[in-house]
Structures are given as C-alpha cells and as structure tokens.
Amino acid sequence: MTLQVSLRHSFKGFTLDVAFSAPAGVTVLFGPSGSGKTTLINAVAGLLRPDQGRVVAHDWVLLDTQARRNLPPHKRRLGYIFQEGRLFPHLTVRQNLLYGRWFAPRDARTEGLTRVVEMLGIGALLDRRPGALSGGEKQRVAIGRALLAAPKLILADEPLAALDEARKAEILPYFERLRDEVSVPILYVSHSSAEVARLATTVVALKAGRVAACGTAAQVLGDVAAVGARAAASVLSARVVAHHSDGLSELTTAAGSLWLPRISDQPGTTLRVRIAAQEVILSRDAPQGLSALNILSGLITDIRLGNGPGALVTLAIGDERLSARITRRSVQAMGLERGQRCHAILKSVAVAPEDVGTGRQYKVAE
Ligand SMILES: Nc1ncnc2c1ncn2[C@@H]1O[C@H](COP(=O)(O)OP(=O)(O)OP(=O)(O)O)[C@@H](O)[C@H]1O
C-alpha cells in the first residue's frame, strides 16, 4: 500500500483513533464537522504531535512514534493545497511556482516546470500576480506549486470549498489529472459527496474520530451507516456511446443505457457517474408512460431502515450497485424484500455535470 496511516490522539472529550492504508491515487477523508479530519491532517503535517502514530507514504516515514521518528513539518516533504490558494501576492505566478521548486531537493526534482504548466493550463498566467487571477486560476497555480516541491505526499485540505460551482467544475478535471498522471499520493479532505465520487481512489469515512468505512467511492457512498442518508449515492462506471441532437448523451453501464444531459466527453470515454440515492424512485412493476428516461432493473440486495422516516434500498444491477433513498412507509407499502426484482427510475436531469467525472471506478467487491 502506498499510504499507511495509524494515529491515536486524545483531546479532552475527543479521541482520534484511526488506521487505514490506501493504494496510490487520491485518498479522500470524508466526514461531518468535528469527525477529526483536521486533527488527522495536522498530525500528518507535523503540526500536532499525536500520542501514538505512524505515517508512511511509499517508503518515506514521516512519523513513527515507536521508532521515535517525528520529522518537523518542513522536513516532511509535503505539498499543500489549501482552501484559499495562499500564493505570495508580491510574486508572479512563475515565481510562486519556482518557490515550490526551491524547496525540492535537487535530486528529487521530477516534475519540470514546463510539464506542470502544460498540465494545469497556466501558461498564459505566468507573468501575472495572484491579485489578477480568478479563484480557480489561483487554485491551479497552488496545485502547480505543490507539485514542483517534489513532495512525497500532497495534502489537499478542502481545496474547492471556497469556490462557486462554476469554479469547482473548472478545477475538478485538474485534480483528476493529478490523480491519473502523477504518482504522488494525495490525501484530500472533503465534505462533498460529488467530489468523493469524482476524485477518490479510496475513501476514508470518519465518524467521531474513528474510521466508519474505508473503500472505493462506490463502496463507501453506498454505506449509509458510514456516510449518512444525505451523502448516500451510487457510483456507476459508464462509457459514452453517442451524443444526440436533442441535447442528450447516451452512455452504457453494466446496468443498461443511461441518458444524461449533454456531456462534453468523446464517445468511447470511460466515466464515473454519481447518482444520489435521493434522486432514485423505485417501482415493483415495469413502469410505462413515464417522462423519466432511465429505468434500470435489478434485484434488491439490501434494505437499511433509518432511525427517521427514511430507508436505503440497494439493487444489484449487472455487477454494479444502485441505491435509492425512499421512505420506510414505501418499503412497507410496496412489500419490498431482499431478492425481489425492482425497477429504479432516474430523471436525466437529476445527474448534474459535477456528478460526471473521468476515470475508471473499481468494481465493488462482493
Ligand atoms: N487543540 C484542540 N484541543 C482540544 N480539542 C480539540 C483540539 N483540536 C480539535 N479538537 C476537537 O477535536 C474534535 C475534532 O475536530 P477536527 O477539527 O479534527 O474536526 P473536523 O472533522 O476537521 O471538523 P471540520 O470539518 O469542522 O473542520 C472536535 O471535537 C474538536 O473540538
């Protein structure tokens, strides 16, 4: 495993006690306010000395309390991407980028300025100062600066939280490229189920200082006990088939065809599509005469009743899982049980552009 984290630390009234390991790529820390994300990031960054812990990225040991290794923050070889870009206002973009590089040990300068500039599309910005950049452009420069420091691990602490929806949509593809084209592991804090679905190679869901679930985006977002009803979602692998003249795009999934509002990716591209559980309606009979374009049928594998009025019903469709958040009342009125065939109905417009990202999604382990 590329990233190994085990940490234990107690404040008065709160204990962080986590252990997880993750392969290369983006590991998203996902959890509600107060679940311990910042405490964990601070311990990895060296800003908090935990009671016990070990943090290893590839073969680089940042912390090992048992072996009495506790590198100071500036020696941990970390690249930071914060909520606000935190660029130096008096330096140009080029100087900001090179500042990151200045910290990289000479023999570790793997990413060249030219490649980073090309990857982030910031060539036209090099002579500007941060004051003349949009929020999205600042974040792209911040990503570049982090990369050029030749880090062993990148820490991204809610890097999109301060941006509006349009700017988020602009930046997300760059994080996808970072995940797919750069070998540095990334520990990424997020509150957003859509960001998790698009970016995560691995998700670590935190709850009250513990790991509530760890796995792929599909596994963790499908675990309502770990992420809560509002974040519950399915993540389907889909391939673009064609774009139609009425503004719809046709995709194919293991669950059948999916019709979505026009997306920009070329036919043949593999995408991951997040479907929020609360957008899915269920029917026992094959529905007819509906306006909704997407009707996927499968067998019920799981019914989780919540403490409130809600329930999460999961269908196996092909080798994918699709969850619907409906009421307990409907579960009862429809007589839903495991093993029954059921039809899931989804309006095309229920899938927003930010729910569709590039990159393969791992298969759900049985
Ligand atoms: N220095 C500290 N001293 C005492 N308690 C602390 C300290 N830092 C954090 N805590 C407590 O630890 C718990 C976890 O806080 P933390 O900031 O890690 O959560 P979080 O998941 O990052 O939340 P948010 O999403 O709001 O940033 C909280 O109950 C907080 O009050």
Side-chain angles (χ1 to χ4, degrees):
M1 286 287 172
T2 299
L3 179 64
Q4 296 170 56
V5 175
S6 70
L7 292 166
R8 198 182 147 78
H9 189 76
S10 290
F11 294 120
K12 197 165 179 281
F14 178 83
T15 297
L16 179 77
D17 190 355
V18 296
F20 59 87
S21 43
V26 174
T27 302
V28 179
L29 292 177
F30 183 66
S33 203
S35 57
K37 304 182 297 295
T38 305
T39 306
L40 195 158
I41 286 281
N42 284 346
V44 173
L47 303 174
L48 167 90
R49 195 200 157 102
D51 299 336
Q52 275 177 42
R54 188 161 189 274
V55 179
V56 184
H58 285 297
D59 53 356
W60 176 247
V61 182
L62 292 81
L63 169 78
D64 187 345
T65 47
Q66 218 168 23
R68 297 181 183 276
R69 180 175 168 92
N70 181 20
L71 294 180
H74 66 280
K75 291 207 171 146
R76 291 200 173 198
R77 305 273 311 273
L78 299 168
Y80 294 97
I81 305 168
F82 298 100
Q83 211 175 93
E84 359 50 87
R86 296 199 196 175
L87 302 173
F88 295 111
H90 58 291
L91 300 182
T92 63
V93 166
R94 186 194 305 275
Q95 289 165 332
N96 266 286
L97 290 170
L98 292 174
Y99 183 86
R101 195 170 157 79
W102 193 71
F103 279 102
R106 228 161 242 293
D107 56 355
R109 291 178 181 175
T110 46
E111 296 292 342
L113 182 66
T114 316
R115 177 172 130 79
V116 168
V117 166
E118 183 275 322
M119 186 174 116
L120 297 165
I122 49 180
L125 312 176
L126 289 175
D127 296 322
R128 289 202 216 156
R129 287 183 207 281
L133 301 178
S134 72
E137 289 167 342
K138 278 185 197 152
Q139 274 315 51
R140 272 144 69 190
V141 177
I143 295 171
R145 188 175 62 175
L147 265 182
L148 285 163
K152 296 284 192 184
L153 174 67
I154 290 178
L155 298 181
D157 195 357
E158 300 208 46
L160 305 185
L163 301 176
D164 61 30
E165 291 307 317
R167 295 288 89 71
K168 279 184 194 167
E170 176 197 322
I171 294 296
L172 272 165
Y174 294 103
F175 275 104
E176 288 171 338
R177 289 194 72 176
L178 206 57
R179 177 195 63 203
D180 298 338
E181 296 176 22
V182 174
S183 60
V184 185
I186 301 164
L187 193 56
Y188 186 109
V189 176
S190 177
H191 273 110
S192 152
S193 163
E195 264 169 64
V196 169
R198 275 190 68 162
L199 294 179
T201 312
T202 307
V203 187
V204 179
L206 293 183
K207 209 170 169 181
R210 311 264 163 156
V211 176
C214 179
T216 64
Q219 288 169 327
V220 175
L221 293 179
D223 184 345
V224 68
V227 299
R230 273 177 192 281
S234 313
V235 186
L236 302 184
S237 290
R239 197 167 47 79
V240 182
V241 175
H243 301 301
H244 294 265
S245 56
D246 60 357
L248 290 173
S249 294
E250 180 184 356
L251 288 80
T252 174
T253 73
S257 292
L258 205 56
W259 297 86
L260 301 181
R262 178 85 184 216
I263 48 178
S264 54
D265 303 272
Q266 295 296 316
T269 312
T270 300
L271 300 174
R272 33 166 102 179
V273 179
R274 170 182 172 270
I275 298 175
Q278 57 201 17
E279 300 290 354
V280 180
I281 293 172
L282 294 180
S283 168
R284 293 251 346 240
D285 301 319
Q288 286 184 342
L290 280 186
S291 64
L293 289 177
N294 300 300
I295 300 171
L296 308 166
S297 67
L299 299 180
I300 298 177
T301 56
D302 195 28
I303 301 176
R304 292 283 162 99
L305 302 181
N307 296 326
L312 197 83
V313 180
T314 302
L315 309 184
I317 304 183
D319 54 1
E320 305 264 19
R321 297 287 178 275
L322 186 65
S323 297
R325 185 183 174 203
I326 61 174
T327 56
R328 297 168 63 136
R329 182 182 295 194
S330 296
V331 171
Q332 211 164 30
M334 294 165 73
L336 297 184
E337 286 174 14
R338 284 182 186 199
Q340 281 173 344
R341 180 155 292 281
C342 208
H343 304 273
I345 301 156
L346 177 75
K347 288 165 72 172
S348 294
V349 291
V351 177
E354 68 263 26
D355 294 320
V356 181
T358 59
R360 270 168 211 287
Q361 167 67 22
Y362 298 91
K363 293 283 172 254
V364 179
E366 290 300 328

